[in-house]
Amino acid sequence: MAKKIDTRNEDTKRIMNSKKYREIKNDLQKQLKENGTCGKFFDDMIEDYMAMYVTKTLLVEDIQKRGT
């Protein structure tokens, strides 16, 4: 099997490795577990949400750096 190449940029990696990212993702997973909600559909929704979180964070950082 070929090794998968990581094409994410450094800023994306930094956000995904942040404490806040992990806390949010873990909290979402915990809430689903406590509600008895499980399945690949919900796991995929968490991944979608976290991707949007990364995008939002990158946009906020860019606006702070370069303005609107």
Side-chain angles (χ1 to χ4, degrees):
M1 181 188 289
K3 185 175 180 182
K4 189 172 183 179
I5 298 171
D6 188 355
T7 59
R8 296 174 293 190
N9 70 28
E10 294 304 314
D11 289 329
T12 300
K13 290 177 189 177
R14 175 181 47 80
I15 293 166
M16 292 179 76
N17 289 324
S18 71
K19 181 179 178 184
K20 186 172 182 179
Y21 178 94
R22 288 190 310 273
E23 288 176 343
I24 291 169
K25 186 173 182 178
N26 290 337
D27 188 56
L28 291 169
Q29 291 169 331
K30 180 181 170 192
Q31 288 178 45
L32 288 178
K33 185 176 181 181
E34 288 175 356
N35 291 333
T37 310
C38 58
K40 297 209 182 293
F41 172 75
F42 295 104
D43 294 339
D44 187 55
M45 287 184 71
I46 289 174
E47 292 304 319
D48 287 345
Y49 179 85
M50 297 313 296
M52 288 186 282
Y53 171 79
V54 170
T55 302
K56 179 212 54 133
T57 304
L58 290 169
L59 288 169
V60 169
E61 290 175 357
D62 184 59
I63 290 169
Q64 290 173 344
K65 185 189 303 180
R66 299 187 308 157
T68 56

